[in-house]
């Protein structure tokens, strides 16, 4: 690592962010007729016409525009976009009777799926807290706290800890199996950690700090593998490991077998999730003012696993997933995993100082810049072969949205700046 290399990578990311990635969204995302955001675009950046506005895509978009504005980009345009999204979210997706946000509306704002999914509620807390921190509009924190309180009332498991995740509109728990009422997941609890972190940053309330610490404790003692420190995807209510299955409402487009069970269903871990977990924990510790040494092993292990097993040193980028012990199962390259390990490897290098993390960052950075970004359009390809040839070609839909890509570039620039000050 040299100062010149740091400057080069920073410039590449800054140019991509300001000339390609943010313009992709600011030029086409706002629905000026019905409110909220259009979130489905084909490989050319054209509206692909799906008649839906999902909670996950609307909230992630609000987070993206808010956080990029807070980081100093957009000259106010991104704050206006975030406000535009919040207006739609509060007007069309908030359940006035039972509280919480609906999972899906159509483009006009009519409710299509009225269920309460904790994964989506976590992003509501996350984006609305970030929105207030970015703009000063207190409606964000007000509604973020409402959702937080609903989760404590209806979703918190007072027997085994953590949160149930799948509810009907009135917050009654859904059934077992594909309905998801008998499962708990790494994904939802990791995103609750990031949501509670930003909520606590905005409120400084002891209850938010306490619940954040509870989720962190659960992640490091129950959810991450006891030996390898890697993420285990799904559990039964009592935190026994459960086979990873496809749920009716979410994750339906992921790569599962026809019977809805994932390959190696009880022994698979995502390199992207592990990198994401570690850097989100680092950020939470920063907000909590807790030293990293308090969680040294819990931070180091997922980074070691990702850099040892997940990095493709031959073709570049990071693989999708493998076993906890190290075998790689899926050698394709998925957009969000690249995005998260860029941030993670920079944090790992910054904290632990091992050159292998810088080399891993440089490897993934080069793969993203040279292969994963659809430069003529501005966004990233969603899924590629190991060699970097697009498999899926849409630029956006409800699950492939701007949250991972924009956040990755903004946060990577921030970390490169830290390294530049000490280089």
């Amino acid at each position: 690592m040299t100062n010149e290399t740091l400057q080069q990578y920073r410039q590449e990311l800054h140019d991509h962010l300001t000339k390609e990635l943010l313009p992709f969204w600011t030029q086409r995302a706002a629905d000026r007729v019905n409110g909220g955001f259009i979130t489905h675009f084909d490989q050319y950046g054209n509206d692909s016409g799906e008649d839906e506005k999902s909670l996950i895509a609307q909230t992630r978009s609000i987070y993206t525009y808010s956080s990029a504005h807070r980081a100093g980009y957009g000259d106010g345009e991104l704050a206006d976009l975030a406000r535009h999204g919040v207006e739609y979210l509060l007007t069309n997706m908030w359940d006035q009777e039972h509280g919480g946000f609906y999972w899906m509306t159509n483009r006009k704002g009519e409710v299509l799926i009225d269920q309460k999914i904790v994964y989506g509620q976590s992003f509501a807390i996350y984006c609305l807290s970030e929105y207030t921190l970015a703009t000063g509009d207190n409606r964000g924190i007000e509604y973020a706290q409402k959702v937080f309180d609903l989760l404590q009332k209806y979703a918190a498991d007072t027997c085994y800890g953590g949160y149930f995740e799948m509810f009907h509109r009135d917050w009654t728990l859904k059934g077992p199996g594909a309905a998801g009422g008998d499962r708990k997941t790494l994904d939802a609890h990791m995103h609750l950690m990031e949501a509670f972190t930003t909520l606590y940053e905005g409120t400084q309330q002891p209850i938010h700090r306490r619940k954040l610490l509870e989720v962190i404790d659960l992640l490091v003692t129950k959810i991450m593998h006891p030996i390898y420190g890697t993420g285990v995807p799904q559990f039964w209510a009592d935190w026994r490991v459960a086979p990873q299955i496809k749920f009716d409402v979410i994750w339906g487009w992921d790569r599962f077998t026809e019977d809805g069970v994932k390959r190696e269903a009880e022994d698979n871990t995502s390199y992207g999730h592990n990198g994401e977990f570690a850097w989100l924990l680092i950020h939470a510790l920063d907000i909590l003012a807790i030293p990293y040494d308090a969680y040294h092993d819990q931070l180091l292990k997922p980074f070691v696993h990702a850099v040892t097993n997940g990095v493709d040193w031959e073709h570049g980028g990071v693989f999708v997933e493998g076993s906890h012990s190290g075998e790689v199962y899926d050698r394709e390259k998925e957009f969000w995993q690249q995005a998260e390990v860029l941030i993670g490897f920079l944090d790992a290098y910054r904290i632990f100082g091992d050159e292998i993390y810088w080399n891993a960052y440089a490897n993934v950075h080069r793969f993203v810049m040279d292969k994963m970004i659809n430069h003529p359009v501005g966004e990233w390809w969603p899924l590629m072969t190991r060699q970097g040839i697009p498999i899926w070609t849409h630029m956006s839909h409800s699950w492939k949205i701007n949250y991972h890509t924009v956040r990755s570039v903004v946060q990577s620039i921030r970390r490169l700046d830290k390294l530049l000050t000490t280089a």
Side-chain angles (χ1 to χ4, degrees):
M1 186 199 77
T2 65
N3 212 338
E4 278 187 355
T5 307
L6 283 171
Q7 292 280 11
Q8 175 195 338
Y9 287 175
R10 188 200 188 281
Q11 192 63 50
E12 287 180 349
L13 291 174
H14 185 269
D15 287 347
H16 170 53
L17 180 66
T18 58
K19 298 176 181 178
E20 296 175 337
L21 189 54
L22 286 174
F24 176 91
W25 295 101
T26 57
Q27 291 167 10
R28 52 175 58 79
D31 184 343
R32 300 298 181 187
V33 177
N34 300 299
F37 303 113
I38 296 167
T39 56
H40 291 69
F41 300 103
D42 66 18
Q43 70 185 86
Y44 306 105
N46 299 318
D47 180 358
S48 52
E50 282 85 347
D51 186 23
E52 67 177 50
K53 287 177 177 167
S54 70
L55 178 60
I56 201 68
Q58 299 300 310
T59 53
R60 284 178 166 184
S61 295
I62 292 166
Y63 171 83
T64 295
Y65 306 134
S66 299
S67 62
H69 171 73
R70 182 152 73 121
Y73 300 97
D75 294 323
E77 179 183 16
L78 298 171
D80 291 340
L81 264 180
R83 191 173 294 107
H84 174 83
V86 168
E87 296 290 351
Y88 181 87
L89 188 69
L90 300 186
T91 302
N92 296 88
M93 303 194 82
W94 179 258
D95 184 342
Q96 297 287 351
E97 182 178 356
H98 297 289
F101 290 98
Y102 300 121
W103 181 251
M104 183 86 69
T105 68
N106 62 17
R107 289 201 180 190
K108 292 181 179 179
E110 299 162 336
V111 178
L112 298 179
I113 300 175
D114 63 8
Q115 295 173 24
K116 305 295 166 57
I117 310 299
V118 166
Y119 190 99
Q121 307 300 323
S122 75
F123 275 96
I125 296 172
Y126 191 38
C127 83
L128 289 168
S129 300
E130 184 70 24
Y131 171 71
T132 293
L133 287 164
T135 67
D137 183 345
N138 283 323
R139 289 181 301 168
I141 283 288
E142 176 192 345
Y143 276 84
Q145 290 185 90
K146 286 182 180 181
V147 177
F148 173 88
D149 291 345
L150 286 163
L151 294 186
Q152 307 316 313
K153 181 177 181 179
Y154 293 116
D157 182 353
T158 56
C159 181
Y160 296 108
Y163 296 83
F164 292 107
E165 302 179 20
M166 305 291 196
F167 296 87
H168 298 288
R169 180 189 173 189
D170 63 358
W171 291 97
T172 55
L173 190 63
K174 293 179 66 179
D182 60 347
R183 303 281 178 130
K184 294 172 182 171
T185 66
L186 159 68
D187 220 359
H189 286 78
M190 184 177 69
H191 291 303
L192 285 170
M193 175 174 68
E194 72 182 348
F196 292 176
T197 299
T198 308
L199 178 63
Y200 175 63
E201 183 182 3
T203 69
Q204 295 295 300
Q205 290 189 13
I207 182 64
H208 299 147
R209 180 185 181 91
R210 189 165 74 248
K211 291 298 179 180
L212 171 57
L213 286 167
E214 284 182 10
V215 172
I216 290 172
D217 182 68
L218 196 65
L219 283 160
V220 300
T221 62
K222 300 288 188 185
I223 295 177
M224 307 306 284
H225 195 284
I227 298 172
Y228 301 104
T230 45
V232 179
Q234 288 185 19
F235 299 84
W236 303 111
D238 61 2
W239 297 109
R240 288 176 299 125
V241 176
Q244 191 177 5
I245 63 169
K246 181 175 68 175
F247 296 128
D248 290 339
V249 175
I250 55 177
W251 303 299
W253 57 275
D254 205 349
R255 289 167 300 232
F256 287 80
T257 58
E258 289 184 4
D259 62 359
V261 177
K262 193 142 188 174
R263 295 170 302 164
E264 297 85 26
E266 295 190 48
D267 180 24
N268 67 85
T269 191
S270 159
Y271 308 111
H273 265 159
N274 294 333
E276 185 179 14
F277 160 77
W279 85 254
L280 286 172
L281 176 55
I282 288 167
H283 176 60
L285 296 176
D286 287 340
I287 299 301
L288 290 163
I290 293 174
Y292 303 148
D293 284 349
Y295 291 87
H296 179 276
D297 289 352
Q298 293 94 336
L299 292 173
L300 184 60
K301 284 182 177 181
F303 282 140
V304 168
H305 189 275
V307 81
T308 304
N309 305 296
V311 177
D312 186 344
W313 297 104
E314 180 180 357
H315 297 285
V318 67
F319 299 126
V320 170
E321 68 182 18
S323 73
H324 296 284
S325 60
E327 180 187 357
V328 180
Y329 296 150
D330 190 336
R331 296 179 185 270
E332 292 171 347
K333 309 291 170 61
E334 202 163 8
F335 82 102
W336 69 266
Q337 310 226 10
Q338 317 307 312
E340 296 305 326
V341 299
L342 284 175
I343 309 170
F345 287 151
L346 285 176
D347 267 350
Y349 178 65
R350 182 173 61 89
I351 292 170
F352 298 110
D354 191 327
E355 200 74 19
I356 194 171
Y357 295 118
W358 173 256
N359 294 335
Y361 170 80
N363 171 295
V364 179
H365 175 103
R366 202 70 272 140
F367 180 84
V368 168
M369 295 305 301
D370 295 346
K371 295 182 178 180
M372 190 131 239
I373 298 169
N374 182 358
H375 286 288
V377 177
E379 249 290 348
W380 300 19
W381 298 108
L383 183 70
M384 311 190 87
T385 65
R386 180 182 181 186
Q387 293 75 20
I389 299 168
I391 298 171
W392 296 341
T393 59
H394 55 273
M395 289 295 97
S396 176
H397 64 25
S398 281
W399 286 96
K400 199 276 179 185
I401 193 69
N402 44 36
Y403 153 75
H404 286 289
T405 54
V406 174
R407 184 174 72 168
S408 175
V409 180
V410 169
Q411 294 295 330
S412 294
I413 290 172
R414 181 171 290 163
R415 283 154 179 77
L416 289 170
D417 284 340
K418 288 182 179 180
L419 292 173
L420 280 163
T421 62
T422 58

